[in-house]
Amino acid sequence: MTVSTHPPRPITNVLVANRGEIARRVFATCRRMGIGTTAVYSDADANAPHVAEADAAIRLPGNTPGETYLRSELIIEAALAAGADAIHPGYGFLSENAEFAKAVQDAGLIWIGPPVSAIEQMGSKVESKKMMDAAGVPVLKQLDPAEVTADMLPVLIKASAGGGGRGMRVVHDVADLSDQIEAAQREAASAFGDPTVFCERYLETGRHIEVQVMADTQGTVWAVGERECSIQRRHQKVVEEAPSPLVERVDGMRERLFEAARLASEAIGYEGAGTVEFLADEKGDFFFLEMNTRLQVEHPVTEQVTGLDLVRLQLQVAAGRPLPATQPEMRGHSIEVRLYAEDPAHDWQPQSGAVHKLDIPGTLGEFTVLTEPGVRLDTGVVDGSVVGVHYDPMLSKVISFAETRDEAAHLLASALQRAKIHGLVTNRDLLVHVLRHPAFLAGETDTAFFATHGLEKLSAPLVSEDGEKLSLVAAALSDAATNRARARVGAGLPSGWRNLPSQAQSKSYESKVSGKHDVRYRLTRAGLEVESPAGLDGLELLEATPASVTLLVPGERGKVRRRFEVARYGDHVAVDSPLGPVALRRLPRFEDPADQVAEGSLLAPMPGAVIRLGAEVGSRVEKGQPILWLEAMKMEHTIAAPAAGVLTELNVTAGQQVDVGAVLAVVHTDDSEGQE
């Protein structure tokens, strides 16, 4: 392999050509090393935490990635203007763009990444597989989309220039191939600026195993350790861990993986941090997927089990320093989950809006290697942050570290269940169900996990029906206590208390999961009497304040004291307890007729842009037929007919921006005709 001979060059100030969590992650290591930091930001990110934390920040005018974070010339100008001497690309955006890396170096700046030649060779997933095959690394055969036949199905369409699930589609029917390729090309162009896609055989129940490599400029290549990232949604990783339970189980697999990863790295003269990704089967056979010539989202689990700061090593290698003489041994187990603002129960719809509160109990540190069992939090948001529609909806990475895999899973599940996450629908409940699932705990974590074990069950609320009833009562009592605290007269009197029997106090709430609920109760001489929800006879109120409610709950074996914490943000009410989180919307006593929508209306589930239309007004549509496509958060989302009927309204055109809740179209369904 070729060995670089350039002398060490100190780094004094780093610009991170990225945003959110990854920018904060790099800044954290820079601060620990005494290195200055520079941020870039779009208009949508003007108030983002990574901007406030940097020593200097440069605006990139615009909102979309194409206007901002994908503009290499603007980023280089920003680095020069701020006096930065190095650029760290993070992951996504331009992190694997060879032209950007070369432009950085041509501008006299240090590129914190691999050689341009390595990025070029691995930048095309088509050509990289040919090279790996020649180097002796096992590969899956490349397929020409024009030659795909029924016996080759299913196939996976992938973007050649990027990853993260963008530009990826699984095709089970040859008739769908052309449309899916076009959709994948649009997503790839939007996310990476390159529409090139290719096909390969799709292993529906494979294991996604990857090896972290680190190489210096003197020829030393480390295979630092492997990670398993098999649990995915839409081909994007959701749960990652180190070490891999499959690799732990199969004799000799780790050695073969590490050897293949080193071969791949040495074949292209690699330098810096990179990841060689493989698809493996249960027998321990594996095939090269791609090499990510950058830091990975899931790098914290490797840091936890090795004690290494991978960003620190990146900076040292970029400055020309050699790796230490020996690499550390692995220790314990680490699991990372990606906390997304999305609704898994409704086709993983991304969410946008304010993050009122994000509090993960048991957090021992942020962006740092833990030295004892606990939780690490790497997040791009803080209380009050706003999640927009232009970028990936990941809020945070929550990482556990413990002596054993079981302990790491239980620790992480408990922290997530007890977390206060207010303001947006997230995948938190899904993550907890996965971490506690018997198949996960047994290490049975292939890429078909959600399909095998049922997404509907895995995405169900953590709170039970009885737990939700108690939370509703707690919300009502807390709201009443808030009203009493604001009262100008008699604020110290119990809310709703009457000396004689009277009409019940009544409050209404809506849950996105379970619908509308009416809470009706009386506070009498005998105590609390709950009429609705039903089934709460014998419930005792011990304390009610604006922030918490303590109830004595009867059960078969006696009464249990339970405390509910309540927070309000306008009409949004968040109730947290060990029984599980409950998010509610306080309904007004009288509904405004203007807020009502016609039956059969298709509402925008998120803000976005209409890409194209699939039907015309007056045409008949079938249940599930696409009416239009929205683009939001770098992904395409299909808006389909809820039932068979006639499209009576279509209120948008291609290219139009829409807000969440906008009435996009109206389908007069066959069912509604039968009711008239």
Side-chain angles (χ1 to χ4, degrees), residues 451-497:
T452 301
H453 302 291
L455 180 59
E456 182 178 356
K457 184 175 181 180
L458 290 170
S459 61
L462 286 172
V463 68
S464 67
E465 183 179 346
D466 287 343
E468 185 180 53
K469 288 180 181 180
L470 292 170
S471 297
L472 282 160
V473 171
L477 293 169
S478 173
D479 279 345
T482 301
N483 293 337
R484 294 310 306 158
R486 294 171 179 167
R488 296 182 178 181
V489 178
L493 296 177
S495 175
W497 187 90

Side-chain angles (χ1 to χ4, degrees), residues 20-356:
E21 170 264 327
I22 184 56
R24 298 186 77 199
R25 167 67 189 91
V26 177
F27 290 164
T29 289
C30 288
R31 285 193 295 270
R32 290 192 286 265
M33 297 177 69
I35 295 173
T37 56
T38 299
V40 289
Y41 64 94
S42 67
D43 291 338
D45 280 338
N47 297 315
H50 80 274
V51 179
E53 292 175 356
D55 297 326
I58 308 293
R59 174 180 175 244
L60 304 175
N63 289 309
T64 68
E67 295 171 325
T68 56
Y69 298 107
L70 290 174
R71 295 282 299 278
S72 58
E73 73 282 4
L74 296 183
I75 291 171
I76 292 171
E77 289 174 8
L80 297 173
D85 47 30
I87 289 182
H88 191 299
Y91 47 74
F93 294 137
L94 295 169
S95 62
E96 296 177 280
N97 186 303
E99 292 183 3
F100 176 53
K102 185 176 186 303
V104 169
Q105 295 172 335
D106 289 346
L109 300 167
I110 298 173
W111 168 250
I112 304 173
V116 172
S117 60
I119 302 175
E120 289 174 337
Q121 292 174 89
M122 292 296 102
S124 168
K125 293 180 174 60
V126 176
E127 296 304 318
S128 66
K129 288 195 174 185
K130 296 178 182 177
M131 184 178 301
M132 292 299 102
D133 191 20
V137 180
V139 300
L140 280 172
K141 183 181 177 182
Q142 201 74 47
L143 301 175
D144 182 344
E147 298 177 358
V148 172
T149 58
D151 61 321
M152 299 178 183
L153 300 174
V155 296
L156 177 65
I157 304 168
K158 298 180 70 175
S160 182
R166 305 306 192 261
M168 296 182 73
R169 295 286 195 281
V170 177
V171 179
H172 293 86
D173 189 332
V174 174
D176 297 332
L177 188 61
S178 178
D179 286 346
Q180 293 297 331
I181 286 175
E182 291 179 5
Q185 288 172 333
R186 287 193 298 270
E187 278 190 0
S190 175
F192 313 113
D194 183 348
T196 306
V197 299
F198 66 96
C199 292
E200 67 185 19
R201 183 164 60 99
Y202 181 58
L203 303 181
E204 295 194 86
T205 58
R207 299 280 195 123
H208 189 119
I209 312 294
E210 58 189 34
V211 179
Q212 175 73 57
V213 295
M214 181 66 69
D216 63 19
T217 58
Q218 283 76 44
T220 300
V221 179
W222 283 359
V224 181
E226 89 281 350
R227 300 183 285 257
E228 180 157 344
C229 314
S230 299
I231 298 182
Q232 304 178 8
R233 62 98 167 101
R234 290 180 169 172
H235 318 294
Q236 190 168 24
K237 302 159 190 172
V238 177
V239 182
E240 301 112 338
E241 59 182 308
S244 159
L246 175 65
V247 176
E248 292 273 274
R249 188 166 66 238
V250 178
D251 290 341
M253 185 177 178
R254 179 169 288 124
E255 290 73 18
R256 290 187 290 116
L257 273 170
F258 286 7
E259 176 61 21
R262 280 190 287 264
L263 281 174
S265 302
E266 292 170 354
I268 60 173
Y270 201 78
E271 297 172 6
T275 302
V276 187
E277 300 194 356
F278 301 94
L279 193 63
D281 61 25
E282 294 297 326
K283 297 182 296 183
D285 294 330
F286 54 84
F287 305 93
F288 174 85
L289 284 176
E290 60 186 350
M291 184 173 185
N292 295 125
T293 53
R294 54 172 168 82
L295 198 65
Q296 291 278 91
V297 179
E298 58 271 22
H299 75 274
V301 295
T302 296
E303 292 186 323
Q304 295 310 126
V305 299
T306 61
L308 295 171
D309 182 334
L310 294 177
V311 174
R312 182 171 184 268
L313 290 178
Q314 280 189 299
L315 294 170
Q316 291 177 333
V317 167
R321 297 180 185 175
L323 289 170
T326 59
Q327 66 182 82
E329 297 292 327
M330 294 180 69
R331 56 174 196 169
H333 201 97
S334 181
I335 303 175
E336 170 183 300
V337 295
R338 303 189 190 186
L339 182 66
Y340 283 102
E342 66 182 11
D343 189 349
H346 292 83
D347 196 29
W348 308 96
Q349 285 180 0
Q351 309 290 300
S352 61
V355 180
H356 298 308

Side-chain angles (χ1 to χ4, degrees), residues 179-180 182-183 186 609-615 626-631 636 638 652-655:
D179 286 346
Q180 293 297 331
E182 291 179 5
R186 287 193 298 270
V610 178
I611 302 173
R612 59 194 175 108
L613 306 176
I627 303 298
L628 56 93
W629 287 262
L630 279 180
E631 182 183 49
E636 286 191 10
T638 303
V652 294
T653 57

Side-chain angles (χ1 to χ4, degrees), residues 343 346 348-353 389 512 597-598 600-611 613 627-633 637-640 642 649-653 656-667:
D343 189 349
H346 292 83
W348 308 96
Q349 285 180 0
Q351 309 290 300
S352 61
V389 300
K512 188 171 183 180
V597 296
S601 295
L602 302 181
L603 307 183
M606 69 209 77
V610 178
I611 302 173
L613 306 176
I627 303 298
L628 56 93
W629 287 262
L630 279 180
E631 182 183 49
M633 298 181 178
H637 308 275
T638 303
I639 307 299
E649 290 185 32
L650 187 58
N651 302 323
V652 294
T653 57
Q656 181 177 336
Q657 290 284 334
V658 297
D659 292 327
V660 63
V663 178
L664 305 174
V666 177
V667 176

